[in-house]
Amino acid sequence: MAGNRWKKGISLALKKIQSLMQDGITQVSEENTTVYLMDNLEVWKGLYELEIAGIEDTQAISEIRKKIQRQIEKKFWDDANQRWRIIGNSDLYHPAEFYPDGVAQIYPLIYEFPVKEKKKQKVLYDQFTESFQWQKLNKKRTGFLWTITGMAAAQMGDIHNLVELIGNYETGYCKERKYPLYTGEAGWICMECGKLYDLYKRKIKTGFLLCA
Protein backbone atom coordinates (compact mmCIF):
# COMPACT_ATOMS: atom_id res chain seq x y z
CA MET A 1 0.00 0.00 0.00
CA ALA A 2 2.77 2.44 0.95
CA GLY A 3 4.55 1.68 -2.34
CA ASN A 4 1.42 2.50 -4.32
CA ARG A 5 1.06 5.85 -2.52
CA TRP A 6 4.71 6.62 -3.31
CA LYS A 7 4.20 5.87 -7.00
CA LYS A 8 0.97 7.85 -7.05
CA GLY A 9 2.77 10.83 -5.52
CA ILE A 10 5.46 10.72 -8.22
CA SER A 11 2.82 10.48 -10.92
CA LEU A 12 0.99 13.51 -9.52
CA ALA A 13 4.26 15.47 -9.30
CA LEU A 14 5.08 14.69 -12.93
CA LYS A 15 1.63 15.77 -14.06
CA LYS A 16 2.02 19.02 -12.11
CA ILE A 17 5.41 19.70 -13.69
CA GLN A 18 3.97 19.06 -17.14
CA SER A 19 1.03 21.37 -16.45
CA LEU A 20 3.47 24.15 -15.52
CA MET A 21 5.72 23.67 -18.55
CA GLN A 22 5.62 26.24 -21.32
CA ASP A 23 8.10 25.82 -24.19
CA GLY A 24 10.17 23.36 -22.14
CA ILE A 25 10.43 25.58 -19.06
CA THR A 26 8.38 25.45 -15.86
CA GLN A 27 6.64 28.58 -14.65
CA VAL A 28 5.79 29.43 -11.03
CA SER A 29 2.11 28.47 -11.20
CA GLU A 30 -0.89 28.48 -13.49
CA GLU A 31 -1.53 32.07 -12.48
CA ASN A 32 2.08 33.28 -12.26
CA THR A 33 3.85 32.80 -15.59
CA THR A 34 7.28 33.94 -14.33
CA VAL A 35 10.08 31.47 -15.05
CA TYR A 36 13.09 31.32 -12.72
CA LEU A 37 16.49 29.78 -13.34
CA MET A 38 16.73 28.43 -9.79
CA ASP A 39 13.28 26.81 -9.87
CA ASN A 40 13.97 25.08 -13.18
CA LEU A 41 17.32 23.76 -12.00
CA GLU A 42 15.61 22.25 -8.96
CA VAL A 43 13.02 20.62 -11.22
CA TRP A 44 15.77 19.33 -13.52
CA LYS A 45 17.69 17.80 -10.60
CA GLY A 46 14.58 16.16 -9.19
CA LEU A 47 13.78 14.60 -12.55
CA TYR A 48 17.38 13.48 -12.92
CA GLU A 49 17.30 11.68 -9.56
CA LEU A 50 14.01 9.98 -10.43
CA GLU A 51 15.39 8.93 -13.79
CA ILE A 52 18.53 7.28 -12.43
CA ALA A 53 16.46 5.58 -9.72
CA GLY A 54 14.78 3.62 -12.52
CA ILE A 55 11.23 3.92 -11.25
CA GLU A 56 8.10 3.69 -13.39
CA ASP A 57 7.63 6.26 -16.19
CA THR A 58 11.40 6.51 -16.63
CA GLN A 59 11.00 7.27 -20.33
CA ALA A 60 8.54 10.09 -19.67
CA ILE A 61 10.79 11.50 -16.94
CA SER A 62 13.81 11.37 -19.24
CA GLU A 63 11.99 13.21 -22.02
CA ILE A 64 10.82 15.98 -19.70
CA ARG A 65 14.28 16.36 -18.14
CA LYS A 66 16.05 16.57 -21.49
CA LYS A 67 13.57 19.15 -22.70
CA ILE A 68 14.16 21.32 -19.63
CA GLN A 69 17.92 20.80 -19.93
CA ARG A 70 17.97 22.10 -23.50
CA GLN A 71 15.86 25.10 -22.64
CA ILE A 72 17.65 26.12 -19.44
CA GLU A 73 20.92 26.95 -21.17
CA LYS A 74 19.11 28.44 -24.16
CA LYS A 75 16.75 30.65 -22.17
CA PHE A 76 18.77 31.60 -19.09
CA TRP A 77 22.38 31.91 -20.25
CA ASP A 78 23.17 35.56 -21.03
CA ASP A 79 26.00 35.27 -23.54
CA ALA A 80 26.53 39.02 -23.86
CA ASN A 81 27.21 39.42 -20.12
CA GLN A 82 28.58 35.91 -19.51
CA ARG A 83 26.28 35.09 -16.61
CA TRP A 84 22.96 33.40 -15.85
CA ARG A 85 19.69 35.27 -16.05
CA ILE A 86 17.71 34.97 -12.83
CA ILE A 87 14.40 35.33 -14.65
CA GLY A 88 13.81 34.24 -18.23
CA ASN A 89 14.02 37.05 -20.80
CA SER A 90 15.19 39.54 -18.18
CA ASP A 91 18.63 41.12 -17.84
CA LEU A 92 17.95 42.50 -14.35
CA TYR A 93 20.99 41.77 -12.18
CA HIS A 94 22.74 43.45 -9.25
CA PRO A 95 26.32 42.23 -8.68
CA ALA A 96 26.29 43.17 -4.99
CA GLU A 97 23.10 41.23 -4.17
CA PHE A 98 23.82 37.87 -2.60
CA TYR A 99 20.31 36.50 -3.20
CA PRO A 100 19.00 35.80 -5.72
CA ASP A 101 21.45 37.51 -8.07
CA GLY A 102 24.72 36.08 -6.80
CA VAL A 103 23.54 32.67 -5.67
CA ALA A 104 21.76 32.06 -8.98
CA GLN A 105 25.14 32.15 -10.72
CA ILE A 106 26.35 29.04 -8.88
CA TYR A 107 23.05 27.13 -8.85
CA PRO A 108 24.00 25.08 -11.94
CA LEU A 109 27.09 23.94 -10.02
CA ILE A 110 25.10 23.16 -6.89
CA TYR A 111 22.72 20.91 -8.80
CA GLU A 112 25.39 19.42 -11.11
CA PHE A 113 23.71 20.78 -14.20
CA PRO A 114 25.76 19.79 -17.29
CA VAL A 115 26.83 23.19 -18.65
CA LYS A 116 28.29 22.81 -22.13
CA GLU A 117 31.28 25.06 -21.47
CA LYS A 118 32.38 24.11 -17.96
CA LYS A 119 34.88 26.95 -17.73
CA LYS A 120 31.90 29.33 -17.47
CA GLN A 121 30.99 27.85 -14.13
CA LYS A 122 34.54 28.12 -12.77
CA VAL A 123 34.63 31.81 -13.63
CA LEU A 124 31.23 32.42 -12.05
CA TYR A 125 32.18 30.46 -8.93
CA ASP A 126 35.40 32.47 -8.54
CA GLN A 127 33.46 35.72 -8.95
CA PHE A 128 30.90 34.61 -6.37
CA THR A 129 33.60 33.66 -3.87
CA GLU A 130 35.42 36.96 -4.38
CA SER A 131 32.19 38.96 -3.92
CA PHE A 132 30.63 37.14 -0.95
CA GLN A 133 32.17 35.42 2.06
CA TRP A 134 29.54 32.71 1.84
CA GLN A 135 31.56 30.30 3.97
CA LYS A 136 31.08 32.63 6.98
CA LEU A 137 27.34 31.78 7.05
CA ASN A 138 26.25 35.36 7.58
CA LYS A 139 22.55 34.94 8.37
CA LYS A 140 22.07 38.72 8.58
CA ARG A 141 22.42 38.85 4.81
CA THR A 142 19.43 36.71 3.92
CA GLY A 143 17.69 35.56 7.10
CA PHE A 144 18.95 31.98 6.99
CA LEU A 145 22.14 30.00 6.54
CA TRP A 146 22.45 29.10 2.85
CA THR A 147 24.68 26.10 3.55
CA ILE A 148 23.72 24.98 0.03
CA THR A 149 26.53 27.18 -1.30
CA GLY A 150 29.01 24.63 0.02
CA MET A 151 27.92 22.19 -2.67
CA ALA A 152 29.29 24.55 -5.32
CA ALA A 153 32.62 24.46 -3.50
CA ALA A 154 32.47 20.66 -3.41
CA GLN A 155 31.84 20.50 -7.16
CA MET A 156 34.82 22.81 -7.76
CA GLY A 157 37.12 20.93 -5.38
CA ASP A 158 37.46 24.02 -3.18
CA ILE A 159 38.33 22.12 -0.02
CA HIS A 160 39.56 25.16 1.94
CA ASN A 161 36.30 27.13 1.78
CA LEU A 162 34.13 24.05 2.18
CA VAL A 163 35.96 23.02 5.36
CA GLU A 164 35.53 26.55 6.71
CA LEU A 165 31.79 26.52 5.98
CA ILE A 166 31.30 23.13 7.67
CA GLY A 167 33.33 24.31 10.67
CA ASN A 168 31.27 27.49 11.02
CA TYR A 169 28.08 25.48 10.75
CA GLU A 170 29.19 23.03 13.43
CA THR A 171 30.42 25.60 15.95
CA GLY A 172 27.72 28.19 15.34
CA TYR A 173 24.55 26.17 14.86
CA CYS A 174 24.86 22.39 15.02
CA LYS A 175 25.37 21.75 18.76
CA GLU A 176 22.57 24.00 20.01
CA ARG A 177 20.43 23.63 16.88
CA LYS A 178 19.70 27.32 16.93
CA TYR A 179 17.63 29.28 14.47
CA PRO A 180 17.85 29.55 11.50
CA LEU A 181 18.86 25.88 11.33
CA TYR A 182 16.42 23.86 9.25
CA THR A 183 16.32 20.20 8.24
CA GLY A 184 17.18 21.21 4.68
CA GLU A 185 20.31 23.04 5.85
CA ALA A 186 21.42 19.97 7.80
CA GLY A 187 20.77 17.80 4.75
CA TRP A 188 22.96 19.93 2.51
CA ILE A 189 25.78 19.85 5.07
CA CYS A 190 25.55 16.03 5.21
CA MET A 191 25.81 15.78 1.42
CA GLU A 192 28.70 18.23 1.39
CA CYS A 193 30.53 16.23 4.04
CA GLY A 194 30.18 13.19 1.79
CA LYS A 195 31.58 15.15 -1.15
CA LEU A 196 34.40 16.45 1.03
CA TYR A 197 35.30 12.90 2.07
CA ASP A 198 35.52 11.92 -1.60
CA LEU A 199 37.67 14.97 -2.35
CA TYR A 200 40.10 14.01 0.41
CA LYS A 201 40.24 10.41 -0.79
CA ARG A 202 41.13 11.57 -4.31
CA LYS A 203 43.70 14.00 -2.91
CA ILE A 204 45.35 11.28 -0.81
CA LYS A 205 45.34 8.84 -3.73
CA THR A 206 46.89 11.45 -6.03
CA GLY A 207 49.48 12.24 -3.36
CA PHE A 208 50.47 8.57 -3.10
CA LEU A 209 50.74 8.33 -6.89
CA LEU A 210 52.98 11.40 -7.00
CA CYS A 211 55.16 10.01 -4.23
CA ALA A 212 55.43 6.70 -6.07
Side-chain angles (χ1 to χ4, degrees):
M1 183 67 72
N4 289 333
R5 286 200 298 267
W6 181 72
K7 290 177 182 178
K8 186 177 179 181
I10 290 173
S11 179
L12 287 170
L14 286 171
K15 286 177 182 176
K16 187 63 177 177
I17 289 170
Q18 287 173 305
S19 74
L20 294 176
M21 283 187 76
Q22 297 294 329
D23 299 322
I25 289 291
T26 57
Q27 59 190 44
V28 174
S29 67
E30 284 84 355
E31 297 78 24
N32 186 345
T33 59
T34 310
V35 294
Y36 290 100
L37 168 68
M38 296 164 86
D39 290 358
N40 276 276
L41 286 166
E42 288 169 353
V43 170
W44 177 88
K45 182 64 172 180
L47 292 170
Y48 175 78
E49 295 294 343
L50 288 175
E51 186 181 341
I52 62 174
I55 61 164
E56 290 185 10
D57 298 324
T58 301
Q59 185 60 37
I61 291 168
S62 177
E63 289 174 5
I64 297 170
R65 180 190 62 78
K66 288 175 182 176
K67 196 171 186 180
I68 291 178
Q69 184 171 318
R70 288 192 298 269
Q71 289 295 89
I72 283 175
E73 198 152 5
K74 179 180 177 182
K75 195 172 190 72
F76 291 103
W77 177 251
D78 180 353
D79 200 53
N81 295 297
Q82 291 293 294
R83 58 172 170 74
W84 294 101
R85 294 186 179 92
I86 300 160
I87 301 173
N89 300 322
S90 172
D91 291 329
L92 293 175
Y93 173 74
H94 195 300
E97 291 293 328
F98 176 81
Y99 174 78
D101 307 56
V103 178
Q105 303 308 309
I106 60 167
Y107 242 61
L109 262 177
I110 290 167
Y111 282 99
E112 300 180 273
F113 183 78
V115 177
K116 290 176 185 175
E117 295 180 41
K118 292 185 178 179
K119 64 181 180 180
K120 293 176 182 175
Q121 281 305 125
K122 184 182 186 316
V123 170
L124 291 173
Y125 174 76
D126 290 343
Q127 290 174 352
F128 180 75
T129 300
E130 288 169 8
S131 300
F132 308 103
Q133 290 187 310
W134 51 269
Q135 70 277 17
K136 304 292 184 187
L137 290 176
N138 182 5
K139 68 178 181 180
K140 292 180 181 178
R141 185 192 291 123
T142 62
F144 61 102
L145 299 182
W146 277 98
T147 56
I148 189 175
T149 53
M151 188 56 78
Q155 308 295 11
M156 294 303 301
D158 185 359
I159 291 175
H160 176 77
N161 281 318
L162 182 53
V163 166
E164 185 174 348
L165 177 136
I166 292 171
N168 287 332
Y169 166 87
E170 185 178 16
T171 57
Y173 301 95
C174 188
K175 292 177 182 177
E176 299 176 13
R177 298 186 180 183
K178 5 185 240 192
Y179 180 83
L181 179 59
Y182 295 101
T183 304
E185 299 293 333
W188 278 107
I189 284 287
C190 286
M191 290 191 291
E192 287 154 22
C193 284
K195 290 274 187 178
L196 183 62
Y197 179 72
D198 290 338
L199 286 170
Y200 274 125
K201 281 202 301 185
R202 288 203 298 270
K203 196 175 181 68
I204 291 169
K205 185 177 180 180
T206 303
F208 281 144
L209 288 173
L210 288 173
C211 290

